Short mmCIF file of all heavy atoms in Angstrom, two decimals:
data_model
loop_
_atom_site.label_atom_id
_atom_site.label_comp_id
_atom_site.label_asym_id
_atom_site.label_seq_id
_atom_site.Cartn_x
_atom_site.Cartn_y
_atom_site.Cartn_z
N ALA U 1 -1.87 -2.65 12.80
CA ALA U 1 -2.72 -1.51 12.62
C ALA U 1 -3.80 -1.67 11.56
O ALA U 1 -4.32 -0.76 10.96
CB ALA U 1 -1.86 -0.23 12.16
N GLU U 2 -4.15 -2.92 11.33
CA GLU U 2 -5.21 -3.41 10.42
C GLU U 2 -4.96 -3.09 8.98
O GLU U 2 -5.89 -2.89 8.13
CB GLU U 2 -6.59 -2.84 10.89
CG GLU U 2 -6.87 -3.25 12.23
CD GLU U 2 -8.20 -2.75 12.74
OE1 GLU U 2 -8.90 -2.15 11.99
OE2 GLU U 2 -8.65 -3.19 13.89
N ASP U 3 -3.71 -3.11 8.52
CA ASP U 3 -3.43 -2.98 7.06
C ASP U 3 -3.53 -4.37 6.39
O ASP U 3 -2.70 -5.23 6.62
CB ASP U 3 -1.99 -2.40 6.90
CG ASP U 3 -1.68 -2.17 5.46
OD1 ASP U 3 -2.26 -1.27 4.86
OD2 ASP U 3 -0.84 -2.86 4.89
N GLN U 4 -4.48 -4.43 5.51
CA GLN U 4 -4.84 -5.80 4.90
C GLN U 4 -3.71 -6.28 4.02
O GLN U 4 -3.39 -7.44 4.05
CB GLN U 4 -6.04 -5.68 4.00
CG GLN U 4 -7.29 -5.24 4.71
CD GLN U 4 -7.62 -3.68 4.46
OE1 GLN U 4 -6.78 -2.95 3.94
NE2 GLN U 4 -8.78 -3.36 4.76
N LEU U 5 -3.20 -5.32 3.26
CA LEU U 5 -2.03 -5.73 2.36
C LEU U 5 -0.76 -6.19 3.12
O LEU U 5 -0.12 -7.09 2.66
CB LEU U 5 -1.70 -4.62 1.43
CG LEU U 5 -2.82 -4.26 0.46
CD1 LEU U 5 -2.35 -3.11 -0.45
CD2 LEU U 5 -3.06 -5.40 -0.42
N SER U 6 -0.56 -5.59 4.26
CA SER U 6 0.64 -6.11 5.03
C SER U 6 0.47 -7.54 5.53
O SER U 6 1.27 -8.36 5.44
CB SER U 6 0.84 -5.20 6.21
OG SER U 6 1.30 -3.90 5.73
N ALA U 7 -0.81 -7.80 5.95
CA ALA U 7 -1.10 -9.19 6.42
C ALA U 7 -0.94 -10.20 5.18
O ALA U 7 -0.49 -11.22 5.33
CB ALA U 7 -2.55 -9.18 7.00
N HIS U 8 -1.41 -9.73 4.09
CA HIS U 8 -1.33 -10.56 2.85
C HIS U 8 0.19 -10.78 2.47
O HIS U 8 0.63 -11.87 2.14
CB HIS U 8 -2.06 -9.83 1.68
CG HIS U 8 -1.98 -10.72 0.47
ND1 HIS U 8 -2.58 -11.93 0.25
CD2 HIS U 8 -1.25 -10.34 -0.73
CE1 HIS U 8 -2.25 -12.35 -1.03
NE2 HIS U 8 -1.53 -11.41 -1.60
N CYS U 9 0.89 -9.67 2.60
CA CYS U 9 2.32 -9.83 2.21
C CYS U 9 3.03 -10.83 3.24
O CYS U 9 3.88 -11.60 2.84
CB CYS U 9 3.09 -8.47 2.37
SG CYS U 9 2.70 -7.22 1.08
N LEU U 10 2.66 -10.83 4.50
CA LEU U 10 3.13 -11.79 5.37
C LEU U 10 2.78 -13.30 4.99
O LEU U 10 3.54 -14.17 5.16
CB LEU U 10 2.57 -11.57 6.89
CG LEU U 10 3.39 -10.39 7.47
CD1 LEU U 10 2.60 -9.78 8.68
CD2 LEU U 10 4.79 -10.67 7.88
N ALA U 11 1.55 -13.38 4.52
CA ALA U 11 1.10 -14.66 4.16
C ALA U 11 1.97 -15.26 2.99
O ALA U 11 2.37 -16.39 2.92
CB ALA U 11 -0.45 -14.60 3.70
N ILE U 12 2.13 -14.38 1.99
CA ILE U 12 2.92 -14.76 0.76
C ILE U 12 4.33 -15.06 1.26
O ILE U 12 4.94 -15.98 0.73
CB ILE U 12 2.80 -13.65 -0.25
CG1 ILE U 12 1.36 -13.45 -0.75
CG2 ILE U 12 3.77 -13.84 -1.34
CD1 ILE U 12 0.94 -14.73 -1.41
N HIS U 13 4.86 -14.14 1.99
CA HIS U 13 6.35 -14.33 2.52
C HIS U 13 6.37 -15.73 3.23
O HIS U 13 7.41 -16.48 2.80
CB HIS U 13 6.67 -13.23 3.52
CG HIS U 13 7.90 -13.54 4.20
ND1 HIS U 13 9.22 -13.59 3.74
CD2 HIS U 13 8.10 -13.92 5.50
CE1 HIS U 13 10.10 -13.86 4.54
NE2 HIS U 13 9.46 -14.18 5.69
N HIS U 14 5.56 -16.02 4.03
CA HIS U 14 5.71 -17.36 4.76
C HIS U 14 5.44 -18.55 3.87
O HIS U 14 6.09 -19.58 3.99
CB HIS U 14 4.76 -17.33 6.01
CG HIS U 14 5.20 -16.45 7.08
ND1 HIS U 14 6.44 -16.75 7.78
CD2 HIS U 14 4.63 -15.40 7.75
CE1 HIS U 14 6.60 -15.70 8.66
NE2 HIS U 14 5.47 -14.94 8.66
N ALA U 15 4.48 -18.36 2.90
CA ALA U 15 4.32 -19.54 1.98
C ALA U 15 5.52 -19.74 1.09
O ALA U 15 5.95 -20.88 0.81
CB ALA U 15 3.14 -19.12 1.13
N ALA U 16 6.20 -18.65 0.68
CA ALA U 16 7.28 -18.81 -0.16
C ALA U 16 8.55 -19.30 0.71
O ALA U 16 9.41 -19.98 0.15
CB ALA U 16 7.78 -17.40 -0.75
N ASP U 17 8.43 -19.14 1.94
CA ASP U 17 9.56 -19.61 2.83
C ASP U 17 9.13 -21.08 3.35
O ASP U 17 9.76 -21.63 4.36
CB ASP U 17 9.69 -18.71 4.01
CG ASP U 17 11.02 -18.63 4.54
OD1 ASP U 17 11.90 -18.98 3.88
OD2 ASP U 17 11.18 -18.14 5.65
N ASP U 18 8.07 -21.65 2.75
CA ASP U 18 7.60 -23.04 3.20
C ASP U 18 7.20 -23.08 4.65
O ASP U 18 7.18 -24.20 5.26
CB ASP U 18 8.76 -24.14 3.00
CG ASP U 18 8.94 -24.35 1.48
OD1 ASP U 18 8.16 -24.06 0.69
OD2 ASP U 18 10.08 -24.81 1.27
N ASN U 19 6.71 -21.95 5.25
CA ASN U 19 6.13 -21.98 6.56
C ASN U 19 4.60 -21.87 6.38
O ASN U 19 4.13 -20.77 6.60
CB ASN U 19 6.76 -20.76 7.43
CG ASN U 19 6.33 -20.84 8.74
OD1 ASN U 19 5.34 -21.50 9.09
ND2 ASN U 19 6.96 -20.06 9.60
N PHE U 20 4.03 -23.04 6.09
CA PHE U 20 2.64 -22.98 5.70
C PHE U 20 1.70 -22.69 6.85
O PHE U 20 0.51 -22.22 6.72
CB PHE U 20 2.16 -24.21 5.00
CG PHE U 20 3.02 -24.31 3.62
CD1 PHE U 20 4.01 -25.34 3.49
CD2 PHE U 20 2.83 -23.42 2.63
CE1 PHE U 20 4.71 -25.39 2.40
CE2 PHE U 20 3.61 -23.41 1.40
CZ PHE U 20 4.58 -24.52 1.30
N ILE U 21 2.03 -23.10 8.05
CA ILE U 21 1.27 -22.79 9.24
C ILE U 21 1.14 -21.26 9.41
O ILE U 21 -0.01 -20.73 9.58
CB ILE U 21 1.85 -23.56 10.52
CG1 ILE U 21 1.75 -24.94 10.33
CG2 ILE U 21 1.10 -23.06 11.83
CD1 ILE U 21 2.47 -25.76 11.44
N ASP U 22 2.27 -20.61 9.43
CA ASP U 22 2.10 -19.14 9.59
C ASP U 22 1.52 -18.46 8.31
O ASP U 22 0.84 -17.45 8.46
CB ASP U 22 3.65 -18.54 9.73
CG ASP U 22 4.13 -18.74 11.19
OD1 ASP U 22 3.37 -19.15 11.98
OD2 ASP U 22 5.28 -18.41 11.36
N ALA U 23 1.76 -19.07 7.20
CA ALA U 23 1.12 -18.46 5.88
C ALA U 23 -0.42 -18.52 6.11
O ALA U 23 -1.05 -17.54 5.71
CB ALA U 23 1.66 -19.25 4.73
N ARG U 24 -0.91 -19.74 6.44
CA ARG U 24 -2.37 -19.81 6.58
C ARG U 24 -2.88 -18.85 7.65
O ARG U 24 -3.97 -18.25 7.49
CB ARG U 24 -2.75 -21.29 6.96
CG ARG U 24 -2.70 -22.14 5.65
CD ARG U 24 -3.19 -23.55 5.87
NE ARG U 24 -2.75 -24.24 7.05
CZ ARG U 24 -1.53 -24.91 7.01
NH1 ARG U 24 -0.86 -25.03 5.97
NH2 ARG U 24 -1.22 -25.49 8.14
N LEU U 25 -2.23 -18.73 8.76
CA LEU U 25 -2.55 -17.84 9.83
C LEU U 25 -2.76 -16.39 9.25
O LEU U 25 -3.74 -15.64 9.44
CB LEU U 25 -1.56 -17.74 10.96
CG LEU U 25 -1.77 -16.72 11.94
CD1 LEU U 25 -3.06 -16.92 12.80
CD2 LEU U 25 -0.50 -16.66 12.97
N TRP U 26 -1.70 -15.93 8.53
CA TRP U 26 -1.70 -14.56 8.02
C TRP U 26 -2.75 -14.39 6.90
O TRP U 26 -3.33 -13.30 6.70
CB TRP U 26 -0.32 -14.16 7.54
CG TRP U 26 0.49 -13.68 8.68
CD1 TRP U 26 1.57 -14.51 9.28
CD2 TRP U 26 0.32 -12.64 9.59
NE1 TRP U 26 2.04 -13.77 10.38
CE2 TRP U 26 1.37 -12.66 10.56
CE3 TRP U 26 -0.59 -11.58 9.59
CZ2 TRP U 26 1.34 -11.68 11.62
CZ3 TRP U 26 -0.49 -10.60 10.58
CH2 TRP U 26 0.55 -10.62 11.60
N ARG U 27 -2.93 -15.51 6.16
CA ARG U 27 -4.01 -15.31 5.15
C ARG U 27 -5.37 -15.11 5.85
O ARG U 27 -6.19 -14.37 5.36
CB ARG U 27 -3.97 -16.60 4.25
CG ARG U 27 -4.98 -16.45 3.12
CD ARG U 27 -5.05 -17.70 2.21
NE ARG U 27 -5.86 -18.70 2.89
CZ ARG U 27 -6.35 -19.76 2.30
NH1 ARG U 27 -6.11 -19.93 1.05
NH2 ARG U 27 -6.98 -20.64 3.04
N THR U 28 -5.58 -15.88 6.79
CA THR U 28 -6.93 -15.82 7.58
C THR U 28 -7.00 -14.38 8.09
O THR U 28 -8.03 -13.83 8.14
CB THR U 28 -6.88 -16.78 8.72
OG1 THR U 28 -6.79 -18.17 8.18
CG2 THR U 28 -8.24 -16.78 9.55
N ILE U 29 -5.89 -13.84 8.78
CA ILE U 29 -5.97 -12.43 9.30
C ILE U 29 -6.07 -11.46 8.15
O ILE U 29 -7.02 -10.55 8.29
CB ILE U 29 -4.60 -12.25 10.03
CG1 ILE U 29 -4.54 -13.09 11.34
CG2 ILE U 29 -4.48 -10.64 10.33
CD1 ILE U 29 -3.19 -13.01 12.00
N ALA U 30 -5.45 -11.65 7.11
CA ALA U 30 -5.68 -10.68 5.89
C ALA U 30 -7.14 -10.76 5.50
O ALA U 30 -7.82 -9.60 5.25
CB ALA U 30 -4.74 -10.98 4.75
N THR U 31 -7.81 -11.85 5.37
CA THR U 31 -9.16 -12.00 4.97
C THR U 31 -10.12 -11.42 6.03
O THR U 31 -11.03 -10.70 5.67
CB THR U 31 -9.46 -13.55 4.72
OG1 THR U 31 -8.63 -13.96 3.73
CG2 THR U 31 -10.96 -13.62 4.28
N ALA U 32 -9.77 -11.65 7.26
CA ALA U 32 -10.58 -11.07 8.36
C ALA U 32 -10.45 -9.47 8.38
O ALA U 32 -11.45 -8.81 8.73
CB ALA U 32 -10.12 -11.63 9.68
N LEU U 33 -9.29 -8.90 7.93
CA LEU U 33 -9.12 -7.49 7.89
C LEU U 33 -9.80 -6.94 6.62
O LEU U 33 -9.90 -5.66 6.43
CB LEU U 33 -7.67 -7.19 7.86
CG LEU U 33 -6.98 -7.29 9.23
CD1 LEU U 33 -5.45 -7.08 9.08
CD2 LEU U 33 -7.53 -6.47 10.28
N GLY U 34 -10.24 -7.79 5.69
CA GLY U 34 -10.96 -7.35 4.48
C GLY U 34 -10.14 -7.41 3.14
O GLY U 34 -10.56 -6.95 2.17
N TYR U 35 -9.06 -8.15 3.23
CA TYR U 35 -8.16 -8.37 1.99
C TYR U 35 -9.04 -9.21 0.97
O TYR U 35 -9.58 -10.19 1.35
CB TYR U 35 -6.88 -8.95 2.25
CG TYR U 35 -6.22 -9.35 1.00
CD1 TYR U 35 -5.45 -8.38 0.28
CD2 TYR U 35 -6.31 -10.64 0.43
CE1 TYR U 35 -4.82 -8.68 -0.89
CE2 TYR U 35 -5.67 -10.93 -0.78
CZ TYR U 35 -4.95 -9.87 -1.47
OH TYR U 35 -4.38 -10.30 -2.64
N SER U 36 -9.03 -8.78 -0.24
CA SER U 36 -9.62 -9.54 -1.34
C SER U 36 -8.87 -9.29 -2.55
O SER U 36 -8.50 -8.19 -2.88
CB SER U 36 -11.08 -9.07 -1.46
OG SER U 36 -11.45 -9.11 -2.84
N PRO U 37 -8.45 -10.40 -3.28
CA PRO U 37 -7.71 -10.14 -4.54
C PRO U 37 -8.36 -9.34 -5.49
O PRO U 37 -7.62 -8.48 -6.17
CB PRO U 37 -7.50 -11.65 -5.07
CG PRO U 37 -7.71 -12.54 -3.94
CD PRO U 37 -8.75 -11.82 -3.04
#
């Protein structure tokens, strides 16, 4: 539903879980949705 923070949470979750392919995917999606630190 285009929630930027949820996409970012998924990126962080997957990075912490050593799943860097999914982490990079979700980071890209979060950025595309407008996430910015």
Side-chain angles (χ1 to χ4, degrees):
E2 300 183 359
D3 184 70
Q4 305 100 343
L5 290 176
S6 292
H8 178 69
C9 288
L10 285 163
I12 295 298
H13 164 74
H14 288 300
D17 213 20
D18 291 338
N19 185 344
F20 299 110
I21 293 170
D22 285 351
R24 286 190 305 275
L25 169 69
W26 282 108
R27 185 182 77 167
T28 301
I29 292 170
T31 302
L33 290 174
Y35 173 81
S36 147

